[in-house]
Amino acid sequence: MSSDTNAGQNYEERFHELTVFVEEALVKVRNDEMPDLSQLDGRVAGLCADIEAAEPQVQSYVQPLMATMIGRLDELATALNEYQQKLQSGQG
C-alpha cells in the first residue's frame, strides 16, 4: 500500500499544480486577459491517461481531486465563452 500512497501523493501534487494553473487562467480571463492555454489539453490528457493506468486504490484516492479539477475546468470554459461573447459584441 505504500507504493499506492506514494502514487496517490504524486497524483495529488499533479492535480494541485494543474488546478492552480486553471485557477490562475480563470483570474486572467475574468480580468479580460487571455491566458496561454496551449499546454492545458496535453497536461489534462496526460494526467487522465496516467490515472486510467493506475491501480484501483490510486484511482479511488484521486477521484475527489479529479472532481475538483473538472469543476475548475468547467468554470474556465464558461469564463472563456463569456470572454469570447464580450469580444464579439465589442465590449472587450
Side-chain angles (χ1 to χ4, degrees), residues 3 12 20 42-43 45-46 49 51 56 73-74 84:
S3 65
E12 187 172 6
V20 167
R43 290 177 69 184
I51 289 168
L73 287 168
D74 286 344
Q84 182 180 16

Side-chain angles (χ1 to χ4, degrees), residues 75-90:
E75 286 180 55
L76 180 58
T78 299
L80 286 168
N81 285 332
E82 291 170 358
Y83 179 69
Q84 182 180 16
Q85 289 174 356
K86 188 188 296 186
L87 289 177
Q88 288 175 346
S89 69

Side-chain angles (χ1 to χ4, degrees), residues 14-85:
R14 289 174 65 187
F15 271 112
H16 177 73
E17 290 172 6
L18 195 52
T19 301
V20 167
F21 174 82
V22 171
E23 288 171 347
E24 289 172 351
L26 188 56
V27 168
K28 286 183 179 183
V29 171
R30 288 181 175 157
N31 288 323
D32 294 330
E33 188 181 335
M34 188 61 185
D36 179 5
L37 302 175
S38 61
Q39 296 183 15
L40 182 60
D41 282 345
R43 290 177 69 184
V44 171
L47 182 55
C48 290
D50 289 348
I51 289 168
E52 214 174 305
E55 295 293 323
Q57 298 90 341
V58 173
Q59 293 173 349
S60 294
Y61 179 84
V62 300
Q63 191 171 11
L65 304 170
M66 183 174 270
T68 298
M69 184 188 71
I70 290 169
R72 296 299 184 271
L73 287 168
D74 286 344
E75 286 180 55
L76 180 58
T78 299
L80 286 168
N81 285 332
E82 291 170 358
Y83 179 69
Q84 182 180 16
Q85 289 174 356

